[in-house]
Structure formats: C-alpha cells, structure tokens
Amino acid sequence: MNRLEQVLKLLKDGELDVEEAKRQIEEIAQAEANGKVDDLGFAQLDIEREKRTGFPEVIYGEGKTAEQIVAIFRRLTEHSDRVLATRVDAAKAEAVLAAVPGSTYHAAARALTWFKKPILQMHDGYVAVVCAGTSDLPVAEEAAITIECMGSHVEKVYDVGVAGIHRLFRRLPVIRGANVIIVVAGMEGALASVVGGLVSKPVIAVPTSIGYGASFHGVSALLTMLNSCATGVTVVNIDNGFGAGYSAGMINKNMSKRS
C-alpha cells in the first residue's frame, strides 16, 4: 500500500481528520512534483514529459555550450529510450558523439539522436515533407528527423518550388497519400498555398529565412503563408522545422489510433 492509499484509509477509518488528510495529500503531491525534475543546476530536466505529452523533452542546442549539451544528453539517456537534440553544430556534436555511445549526428538536420533500441515505425501512414529548394533542406531535414523519432514514416519530396511547378505535379500522388503534409519554403513562400489548394490533408507550412534582402530573413515567406487563401494551411515560426515535425508526428500518431 502506497502512502496516498494509507492516508485515504486512515481518513475513511476516522483516524485522520479532513484537514490533516488534506495536508498530507498536498505533501505527497509536492514530493511527487519534485521528483519529476532532474536538477543539473544549469538545467531542470522535465523527465516525465513523455508521460504527459507522449514524447520526451527535446534539447535545443543553439546557445548551449558543448559541455551543457553533453551533460543534458547523457542524463536524458538515463530517463528515456530516445533522445533528440536540435540545432547542434558539428563541433558540439563531436563532443556528444565522444561522450555518449550510440548517439548519431544528422549533419543536414543539425540534429543528434540516441535510441536505446533501434527506432521503429510505430504508426500507420506517413508524413510528406515537401521542400521548395535545396537551400531549404536543413529545415526540412529537421522536420523529417523529428517525425522519424516520433515513430512515423517520412516521404521526402524535395526541390519542387513554384519556379518549376511541373516538378511538384510529378510527385502529387505521394503528397496526396500522406496523412499530413509539411511544406518548407523560403523566398516568397508561395509553395504552401499551391499545395494547400491541391490536397485534402492538413498542411503545416514552414517559412525559412532563405532569400534576398526583401525577404527580410523569412518574414516575407511567413506573411505569405499566414495570408494563404488555401484552406487547411497552418503556419509555424520561421525555420521551425522541429515544431512542424512535432505537430505532424502527433497528427499521424492520433490518426493511426483511429484507423
């Protein structure tokens, strides 16, 4: 019998009054809350996030030192069967690879992964990641590796921007067969609207910071996507491949539950 059950039994048997039972229950709740955090001093790891949300805490590598990433990454391997770190440059990745056996660096995505067991495709269907140009690939690859870490299959449709729109039409069967579609585009960001008008699936648009001066580091693409007249298009922040991938992974997971 755990402590909470003991308190409730004592309350039922009349051996505790309501106020004392309430105090002890609050004490138990506080103790459990404290136990959900692994304190590294410079980081408070949310080790029970997977229980709440379905996926463990992810490390955002930009702005962290190599030593900090190594410490967080290593500790998370003790609490989960998979670890993902995004926005990690090659030099910092080398430090993690040396310190954590079994970790892998995905250079195009600028991401690090670690799995206790080989990653499996756990969910039915797939997510299509559609990328306008080769310059947008780092953001598209970040989305793709996130989806794969969440247990869904990815079909990549790359370099199909509107400047040569016939390239997109050749791949429409693959795009339309997906449960959810991510569209990654810089410059003017028109590809999301085009795709949104051709499919019956949710589209997650990702503006990138690729483009000349008037693109304002992705703001132009962001505004185009936000102002899309195509229905079913949702927009994430500039260069946020991880956010798009995470949302797409959740959608595909929940669609698999219903199928």
Short mmCIF file of all heavy atoms in Angstrom, two decimals, residues 191-236:
data_model
loop_
_atom_site.label_atom_id
_atom_site.label_comp_id
_atom_site.label_asym_id
_atom_site.label_seq_id
_atom_site.Cartn_x
_atom_site.Cartn_y
_atom_site.Cartn_z
N LEU A 191 4.78 28.16 -52.12
CA LEU A 191 4.53 26.73 -52.29
C LEU A 191 3.44 26.20 -51.36
O LEU A 191 2.66 25.33 -51.74
CB LEU A 191 5.83 25.94 -52.08
CG LEU A 191 5.74 24.43 -52.31
CD1 LEU A 191 5.34 24.12 -53.74
CD2 LEU A 191 7.07 23.76 -51.97
N ALA A 192 3.36 26.73 -50.14
CA ALA A 192 2.36 26.24 -49.19
C ALA A 192 0.94 26.47 -49.71
O ALA A 192 0.07 25.60 -49.58
CB ALA A 192 2.54 26.92 -47.84
N SER A 193 0.69 27.62 -50.31
CA SER A 193 -0.64 27.91 -50.85
C SER A 193 -0.97 26.99 -52.02
O SER A 193 -2.09 26.50 -52.16
CB SER A 193 -0.73 29.36 -51.31
OG SER A 193 -0.69 30.24 -50.21
N VAL A 194 0.03 26.73 -52.87
CA VAL A 194 -0.18 25.86 -54.02
C VAL A 194 -0.55 24.46 -53.56
O VAL A 194 -1.54 23.87 -54.01
CB VAL A 194 1.08 25.82 -54.91
CG1 VAL A 194 0.92 24.77 -56.00
CG2 VAL A 194 1.34 27.19 -55.52
N VAL A 195 0.25 23.93 -52.62
CA VAL A 195 -0.02 22.58 -52.12
C VAL A 195 -1.37 22.54 -51.40
O VAL A 195 -2.16 21.60 -51.58
CB VAL A 195 1.11 22.11 -51.18
CG1 VAL A 195 0.75 20.78 -50.51
CG2 VAL A 195 2.41 21.96 -51.96
N GLY A 196 -1.65 23.54 -50.61
CA GLY A 196 -2.92 23.59 -49.87
C GLY A 196 -4.13 23.52 -50.76
O GLY A 196 -5.18 23.00 -50.36
N GLY A 197 -4.01 24.03 -51.99
CA GLY A 197 -5.13 24.01 -52.92
C GLY A 197 -5.25 22.73 -53.71
O GLY A 197 -6.17 22.59 -54.52
N LEU A 198 -4.33 21.78 -53.47
CA LEU A 198 -4.31 20.55 -54.25
C LEU A 198 -4.56 19.29 -53.42
O LEU A 198 -4.65 18.21 -53.99
CB LEU A 198 -2.95 20.40 -54.96
CG LEU A 198 -2.61 21.42 -56.03
CD1 LEU A 198 -1.15 21.28 -56.45
CD2 LEU A 198 -3.53 21.27 -57.24
N VAL A 199 -4.67 19.43 -52.12
CA VAL A 199 -4.76 18.25 -51.25
C VAL A 199 -5.94 18.36 -50.28
O VAL A 199 -6.46 19.44 -50.03
CB VAL A 199 -3.45 18.06 -50.45
CG1 VAL A 199 -2.26 17.88 -51.39
CG2 VAL A 199 -3.21 19.21 -49.49
N SER A 200 -6.32 17.20 -49.73
CA SER A 200 -7.41 17.15 -48.76
C SER A 200 -6.90 16.82 -47.36
O SER A 200 -7.66 16.39 -46.51
CB SER A 200 -8.44 16.10 -49.19
OG SER A 200 -7.83 14.81 -49.24
N LYS A 201 -5.61 17.01 -47.14
CA LYS A 201 -4.97 16.70 -45.86
C LYS A 201 -4.47 17.98 -45.19
O LYS A 201 -4.26 19.00 -45.88
CB LYS A 201 -3.80 15.74 -46.08
CG LYS A 201 -4.15 14.50 -46.89
CD LYS A 201 -5.13 13.61 -46.17
CE LYS A 201 -5.60 12.45 -47.06
NZ LYS A 201 -4.50 11.61 -47.56
N PRO A 202 -4.29 17.97 -43.87
CA PRO A 202 -3.75 19.16 -43.22
C PRO A 202 -2.35 19.49 -43.71
O PRO A 202 -1.52 18.59 -43.91
CB PRO A 202 -3.75 18.79 -41.73
CG PRO A 202 -3.84 17.30 -41.68
CD PRO A 202 -4.57 16.88 -42.90
N VAL A 203 -2.09 20.77 -43.92
CA VAL A 203 -0.79 21.25 -44.39
C VAL A 203 -0.18 22.14 -43.30
O VAL A 203 -0.82 23.07 -42.81
CB VAL A 203 -0.92 22.06 -45.70
CG1 VAL A 203 0.42 22.69 -46.09
CG2 VAL A 203 -1.45 21.17 -46.82
N ILE A 204 1.05 21.82 -42.93
CA ILE A 204 1.79 22.64 -41.98
C ILE A 204 2.88 23.36 -42.75
O ILE A 204 3.79 22.73 -43.31
CB ILE A 204 2.40 21.80 -40.85
CG1 ILE A 204 1.30 21.03 -40.11
CG2 ILE A 204 3.19 22.68 -39.87
CD1 ILE A 204 1.83 20.03 -39.09
N ALA A 205 2.81 24.68 -42.81
CA ALA A 205 3.74 25.47 -43.60
C ALA A 205 4.88 25.99 -42.72
O ALA A 205 4.65 26.48 -41.61
CB ALA A 205 3.00 26.64 -44.25
N VAL A 206 6.10 25.88 -43.25
CA VAL A 206 7.28 26.35 -42.53
C VAL A 206 8.01 27.38 -43.39
O VAL A 206 8.66 27.02 -44.38
CB VAL A 206 8.25 25.20 -42.20
CG1 VAL A 206 9.34 25.69 -41.25
CG2 VAL A 206 7.53 24.00 -41.63
N PRO A 207 7.94 28.66 -43.04
CA PRO A 207 8.72 29.65 -43.79
C PRO A 207 10.20 29.54 -43.38
O PRO A 207 10.50 29.28 -42.21
CB PRO A 207 8.12 30.98 -43.33
CG PRO A 207 7.60 30.69 -41.95
CD PRO A 207 7.15 29.24 -41.96
N THR A 208 11.09 29.70 -44.34
CA THR A 208 12.52 29.68 -44.00
C THR A 208 13.12 31.07 -44.22
O THR A 208 12.55 31.91 -44.91
CB THR A 208 13.29 28.65 -44.83
OG1 THR A 208 13.46 29.13 -46.17
CG2 THR A 208 12.58 27.30 -44.85
N SER A 209 14.29 31.27 -43.66
CA SER A 209 14.97 32.56 -43.75
C SER A 209 15.79 32.69 -45.04
O SER A 209 16.61 33.60 -45.17
CB SER A 209 15.88 32.75 -42.53
OG SER A 209 16.74 31.64 -42.35
N ILE A 210 15.57 31.78 -45.99
CA ILE A 210 16.27 31.80 -47.26
C ILE A 210 15.65 32.85 -48.18
O ILE A 210 14.44 32.89 -48.36
CB ILE A 210 16.22 30.42 -47.94
CG1 ILE A 210 16.93 29.37 -47.07
CG2 ILE A 210 16.84 30.47 -49.33
CD1 ILE A 210 18.38 29.67 -46.77
N GLY A 211 16.50 33.71 -48.76
CA GLY A 211 16.01 34.70 -49.71
C GLY A 211 16.87 35.94 -49.73
O GLY A 211 17.72 36.14 -48.85
N TYR A 212 16.63 36.79 -50.72
CA TYR A 212 17.37 38.05 -50.83
C TYR A 212 16.82 39.09 -49.86
O TYR A 212 15.88 38.82 -49.10
CB TYR A 212 17.33 38.54 -52.27
CG TYR A 212 18.07 37.62 -53.23
CD1 TYR A 212 17.38 36.74 -54.05
CD2 TYR A 212 19.47 37.63 -53.29
CE1 TYR A 212 18.05 35.89 -54.92
CE2 TYR A 212 20.15 36.79 -54.16
CZ TYR A 212 19.44 35.92 -54.97
OH TYR A 212 20.11 35.08 -55.82
N GLY A 213 17.36 40.28 -49.91
CA GLY A 213 17.08 41.31 -48.91
C GLY A 213 15.63 41.57 -48.59
O GLY A 213 15.24 41.65 -47.42
N ALA A 214 14.79 41.65 -49.61
CA ALA A 214 13.38 41.96 -49.38
C ALA A 214 12.60 40.81 -48.75
O ALA A 214 11.43 40.98 -48.39
CB ALA A 214 12.71 42.38 -50.68
N SER A 215 13.25 39.65 -48.61
CA SER A 215 12.57 38.55 -47.91
C SER A 215 12.61 38.75 -46.40
O SER A 215 11.90 38.07 -45.67
CB SER A 215 13.23 37.21 -48.26
OG SER A 215 14.50 37.10 -47.66
N PHE A 216 13.45 39.71 -45.95
CA PHE A 216 13.54 40.05 -44.52
C PHE A 216 13.76 38.82 -43.65
O PHE A 216 13.09 38.62 -42.64
CB PHE A 216 12.29 40.82 -44.06
CG PHE A 216 12.08 42.11 -44.78
CD1 PHE A 216 11.08 42.22 -45.74
CD2 PHE A 216 12.89 43.21 -44.54
CE1 PHE A 216 10.89 43.40 -46.45
CE2 PHE A 216 12.70 44.39 -45.24
CZ PHE A 216 11.71 44.50 -46.19
N HIS A 217 14.73 37.99 -44.07
CA HIS A 217 15.13 36.81 -43.29
C HIS A 217 13.95 35.89 -42.98
O HIS A 217 13.86 35.32 -41.90
CB HIS A 217 15.83 37.23 -42.00
CG HIS A 217 17.01 38.11 -42.22
ND1 HIS A 217 18.19 37.64 -42.76
CD2 HIS A 217 17.19 39.43 -42.00
CE1 HIS A 217 19.05 38.64 -42.85
NE2 HIS A 217 18.48 39.73 -42.41
N GLY A 218 13.03 35.77 -43.91
CA GLY A 218 11.92 34.83 -43.74
C GLY A 218 10.58 35.47 -43.43
O GLY A 218 9.55 34.79 -43.48
N VAL A 219 10.58 36.76 -43.12
CA VAL A 219 9.32 37.42 -42.78
C VAL A 219 8.38 37.46 -43.99
O VAL A 219 7.17 37.29 -43.86
CB VAL A 219 9.57 38.85 -42.24
CG1 VAL A 219 8.25 39.60 -42.04
CG2 VAL A 219 10.33 38.79 -40.93
N SER A 220 8.95 37.67 -45.17
CA SER A 220 8.12 37.69 -46.39
C SER A 220 7.40 36.36 -46.59
O SER A 220 6.19 36.32 -46.83
CB SER A 220 9.01 37.99 -47.61
OG SER A 220 8.25 37.94 -48.80
N ALA A 221 8.15 35.25 -46.46
CA ALA A 221 7.52 33.93 -46.60
C ALA A 221 6.50 33.67 -45.50
O ALA A 221 5.44 33.09 -45.74
CB ALA A 221 8.60 32.84 -46.59
N LEU A 222 6.82 34.11 -44.29
CA LEU A 222 5.90 33.94 -43.17
C LEU A 222 4.57 34.65 -43.44
O LEU A 222 3.49 34.06 -43.26
CB LEU A 222 6.53 34.49 -41.89
CG LEU A 222 5.63 34.58 -40.65
CD1 LEU A 222 5.22 33.18 -40.19
CD2 LEU A 222 6.32 35.34 -39.53
N LEU A 223 4.63 35.89 -43.92
CA LEU A 223 3.40 36.65 -44.18
C LEU A 223 2.62 36.04 -45.33
O LEU A 223 1.38 36.00 -45.30
CB LEU A 223 3.75 38.11 -44.47
CG LEU A 223 4.33 38.89 -43.28
CD1 LEU A 223 4.71 40.30 -43.71
CD2 LEU A 223 3.34 38.95 -42.12
N THR A 224 3.31 35.56 -46.36
CA THR A 224 2.62 34.90 -47.47
C THR A 224 1.84 33.69 -46.98
O THR A 224 0.68 33.47 -47.33
CB THR A 224 3.63 34.46 -48.54
OG1 THR A 224 4.25 35.62 -49.09
CG2 THR A 224 2.93 33.69 -49.66
N MET A 225 2.51 32.88 -46.14
CA MET A 225 1.86 31.66 -45.64
C MET A 225 0.70 31.99 -44.71
O MET A 225 -0.34 31.34 -44.74
CB MET A 225 2.90 30.79 -44.94
CG MET A 225 3.91 30.18 -45.90
SD MET A 225 5.26 29.34 -45.05
CE MET A 225 6.12 28.58 -46.44
N LEU A 226 0.88 32.99 -43.87
CA LEU A 226 -0.20 33.39 -42.97
C LEU A 226 -1.41 33.93 -43.73
O LEU A 226 -2.54 33.82 -43.27
CB LEU A 226 0.30 34.45 -41.98
CG LEU A 226 1.22 33.97 -40.85
CD1 LEU A 226 1.79 35.17 -40.09
CD2 LEU A 226 0.48 33.05 -39.89
N ASN A 227 -1.14 34.53 -44.89
CA ASN A 227 -2.21 35.11 -45.70
C ASN A 227 -2.70 34.17 -46.80
O ASN A 227 -3.39 34.60 -47.72
CB ASN A 227 -1.73 36.43 -46.32
CG ASN A 227 -1.70 37.55 -45.31
OD1 ASN A 227 -2.73 38.07 -44.92
ND2 ASN A 227 -0.51 37.91 -44.87
N SER A 228 -2.35 32.90 -46.69
CA SER A 228 -2.75 31.94 -47.72
C SER A 228 -4.27 31.87 -47.86
O SER A 228 -5.00 31.81 -46.88
CB SER A 228 -2.22 30.55 -47.36
OG SER A 228 -2.72 29.58 -48.26
N CYS A 229 -4.72 31.87 -49.12
CA CYS A 229 -6.17 31.73 -49.35
C CYS A 229 -6.57 30.26 -49.43
O CYS A 229 -7.75 29.94 -49.49
CB CYS A 229 -6.58 32.47 -50.61
SG CYS A 229 -5.81 31.83 -52.10
N ALA A 230 -5.58 29.36 -49.46
CA ALA A 230 -5.88 27.93 -49.45
C ALA A 230 -6.28 27.52 -48.04
O ALA A 230 -5.65 27.92 -47.06
CB ALA A 230 -4.66 27.14 -49.90
N THR A 231 -7.33 26.72 -47.93
CA THR A 231 -7.79 26.28 -46.61
C THR A 231 -6.93 25.12 -46.12
O THR A 231 -6.29 24.41 -46.89
CB THR A 231 -9.25 25.84 -46.69
OG1 THR A 231 -9.39 24.87 -47.73
CG2 THR A 231 -10.16 27.02 -46.98
N GLY A 232 -6.95 24.92 -44.82
CA GLY A 232 -6.24 23.80 -44.23
C GLY A 232 -4.76 24.01 -44.04
O GLY A 232 -4.02 23.06 -43.76
N VAL A 233 -4.27 25.25 -44.19
CA VAL A 233 -2.85 25.55 -44.02
C VAL A 233 -2.62 26.20 -42.66
O VAL A 233 -3.21 27.23 -42.34
CB VAL A 233 -2.33 26.49 -45.13
CG1 VAL A 233 -0.87 26.86 -44.89
CG2 VAL A 233 -2.50 25.84 -46.50
N THR A 234 -1.77 25.57 -41.86
CA THR A 234 -1.36 26.11 -40.56
C THR A 234 0.12 26.47 -40.66
O THR A 234 0.90 25.77 -41.31
CB THR A 234 -1.56 25.06 -39.45
OG1 THR A 234 -2.94 24.70 -39.41
CG2 THR A 234 -1.16 25.61 -38.10
N VAL A 235 0.53 27.55 -40.00
CA VAL A 235 1.89 28.06 -40.15
C VAL A 235 2.63 28.05 -38.82
O VAL A 235 2.08 28.45 -37.79
CB VAL A 235 1.86 29.51 -40.71
CG1 VAL A 235 3.28 29.99 -41.03
CG2 VAL A 235 0.97 29.60 -41.94
N VAL A 236 3.88 27.59 -38.86
CA VAL A 236 4.75 27.67 -37.69
C VAL A 236 5.76 28.79 -37.90
O VAL A 236 5.77 29.45 -38.94
CB VAL A 236 5.47 26.33 -37.42
CG1 VAL A 236 4.47 25.22 -37.14
CG2 VAL A 236 6.39 25.94 -38.57
#
